[in-house]
Amino acid sequence: MKKLNNQIDFFLNEFGRDIIMKGNAKKVILSDASTKPSFFDDKYIRMKEAYGTGNILEYQSAKWMVVSQVVADNNTYKAKIRRADWQISFYIQNVIQKFYCIVDNMEATIEEGKIISTVAGEIKLIFQATDNTNSLAIDRRFIKFGSAWKITG
């Protein structure tokens, strides 16, 4: 059986999906990360070019974020991505800047498979690490879901 690095071009041409990452069009292999229904729409992405955890990409008009460690394997790179379809705005240096993020405030419990909130009255947001998002200070406020929220850590 031939190794993946000898076949990757064939798989990309036959089964590849079009994405945009860092403003460039790319072909990638995407597969569902779970065979069971879950709260998050996670997928595995495999491509020839290197990328990093936290990278944002666009697939089917939606934003996605690389949420796992990127593993190099057979001259390809594989990681898990999650839909980052929430947009939060902050006022930074006299300009309103919008950031895509993942809202991660729900967890499945082991017992009875119920969905519970992690902490009442709090939401957990996962942003791409950039100079602007790294500059967001504790106690900074933003509006989402019709309420004012404060960064706590």
Side-chain angles (χ1 to χ4, degrees):
M1 183 173 205
K2 295 182 179 180
K3 290 187 175 186
L4 179 62
N5 63 353
N6 296 332
Q7 298 288 317
I8 190 65
D9 290 327
F10 169 77
F11 284 113
L12 287 171
N13 287 330
E14 291 296 317
F15 307 109
R17 305 291 176 107
D18 295 317
I19 68 159
I20 297 173
M21 184 181 281
K22 297 181 181 180
N24 298 313
K26 307 273 185 199
K27 282 270 194 195
V28 301
I29 304 295
L30 290 173
S31 60
D32 287 330
S34 176
T35 57
K36 298 177 183 175
S38 68
F39 185 74
F40 294 107
D41 184 13
D42 291 349
K43 297 190 180 303
Y44 288 116
I45 181 173
R46 184 180 293 269
M47 60 191 287
K48 289 171 59 171
E49 297 85 1
Y51 55 95
T53 303
N55 280 144
I56 300 283
L57 62 101
E58 186 173 331
Y59 169 63
Q60 293 185 335
S61 300
K63 301 291 184 183
W64 297 74
M65 184 185 302
V66 178
V67 293
S68 72
Q69 179 179 355
V70 179
V71 177
D73 180 36
N74 288 320
N75 294 326
T76 64
Y77 300 87
K78 181 180 179 181
K80 186 183 283 188
I81 60 173
R82 180 172 292 166
R83 190 182 281 262
D85 50 4
W86 293 97
Q87 206 174 43
I88 306 289
S89 300
F90 289 96
Y91 193 67
I92 299 174
Q93 297 175 355
N94 299 324
V95 177
I96 294 177
Q97 298 195 22
K98 297 181 180 185
F99 302 98
Y100 286 95
C101 66
I102 297 168
V103 175
D104 184 13
N105 67 325
M106 303 295 270
E107 290 183 3
T109 63
I110 294 174
E111 48 194 355
E112 300 180 34
K114 294 181 181 176
I115 303 294
I116 60 168
S117 296
T118 53
V119 180
E122 291 187 6
I123 57 175
K124 179 180 175 185
L125 304 175
I126 302 169
F127 290 95
Q128 179 183 29
T130 65
D131 289 341
N132 284 331
T133 58
N134 289 338
S135 72
L136 296 175
I138 295 203
D139 292 332
R140 190 84 181 256
R141 294 191 167 272
F142 62 95
I143 306 291
K144 194 66 181 173
F145 310 120
S147 298
W149 300 86
K150 178 174 70 170
I151 297 174
T152 59

